[in-house]
Amino acid sequence: MVERVPLSDWDAVESHLRRFAGEVDASDAKLVSRMGVARFAVTRDGRVTAGMPLHDFDGRADSLVFDHDRGAIRIERAGSTYVFRRP
């Protein structure tokens, strides 16, 4: 299942991230998940940080595309994309 979730739908972002990663530390402004040595964090204002050893991303997003079957999150913003894969 692939689903695009706009950051404006914060409840859906949290729900999909929990499904994707399992545990999520949540606050009003930020969601953080850790999967072994990997981490993925997103803020309400669209900042995304993600990575694992030797591999990091720090940027902005308009929406997140969750591909639960393939274990990936695509970060989209104005014509650019980045794909985070669950280890």
Side-chain angles (χ1 to χ4, degrees), residues 32-70:
V32 179
S33 61
R34 289 178 180 75
M35 298 150 274
V37 296
R39 62 177 161 51
F40 188 92
V42 59
T43 63
R44 276 189 189 264
D45 67 356
R47 181 159 183 209
V48 176
T49 57
M52 54 192 73
L54 306 176
H55 180 265
D56 284 312
F57 174 83
D58 186 351
R60 310 287 296 170
D62 295 322
S63 62
L64 302 174
V65 180
F66 289 87
D67 185 338
H68 294 289
D69 294 335
R70 292 195 168 123

Side-chain angles (χ1 to χ4, degrees), residues 7-11 13-14 18 24-32 42-46:
L7 286 222
S8 59
D9 189 350
W10 193 244
D11 289 339
V13 171
E14 182 176 353
R18 284 186 188 285
V24 174
D25 294 328
S27 71
D28 287 339
K30 187 174 187 178
L31 302 171
V32 179
V42 59
T43 63
R44 276 189 189 264
D45 67 356

Side-chain angles (χ1 to χ4, degrees), residues 61-84:
D62 295 322
S63 62
L64 302 174
V65 180
F66 289 87
D67 185 338
H68 294 289
D69 294 335
R70 292 195 168 123
I73 302 172
R74 190 170 65 236
I75 301 155
E76 298 184 333
R77 176 154 181 122
S80 64
T81 61
Y82 170 82
V83 177
F84 175 85

